[in-house]
């Protein structure tokens, strides 16, 4: 039987929400092993003038605990 744990991570990117999600997983994987999935809980962005300045995501990362 597998035991799974979920952590919540906030990440950002200047490129896209997809890139912000990749950044979250990449950074979390430095200390968390056996990542199984990522759920994008929220998306937001900051605006500078008339352009999007930064994409932000709030994700839930699920990993297996051994």
């Amino acid at each position: 039987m597998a035991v799974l744990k979920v952590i919540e991570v906030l990440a950002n990117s200047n490129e896209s929400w997809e890139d912000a999600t990749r950044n979250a997983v990449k950074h979390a994987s430095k200390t968390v092993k056996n990542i199984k999935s990522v759920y994008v809980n929220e998306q937001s962005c900051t605006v500078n003038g008339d352009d999007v300045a930064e994409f932000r995501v709030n994700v839930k990362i699920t990993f297996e605990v051994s």
Side-chain angles (χ1 to χ4, degrees):
M1 178 176 121
V3 176
L4 303 176
K5 185 171 182 173
V6 178
I7 60 171
E8 193 167 352
V9 176
L10 306 173
N12 62 340
S13 167
N14 294 330
E15 302 299 319
S16 66
W17 283 301
E18 291 86 356
D19 192 48
T21 303
R22 285 187 191 93
N23 290 342
V25 172
K26 188 174 183 177
H27 191 72
S29 69
K30 292 178 183 178
T31 56
V32 175
K33 303 303 175 205
N34 300 318
I35 294 176
K36 300 298 181 189
S37 66
V38 59
Y39 171 77
V40 179
N41 194 36
E42 270 183 24
Q43 297 174 318
S44 64
C45 59
T46 60
V47 176
N48 187 5
D50 61 351
D51 198 16
V52 172
E54 181 180 64
F55 296 88
R56 296 176 177 174
V57 292
N58 176 331
V59 300
K60 293 186 178 185
I61 295 177
T62 303
F63 60 97
E64 188 173 343
V65 178
S66 53

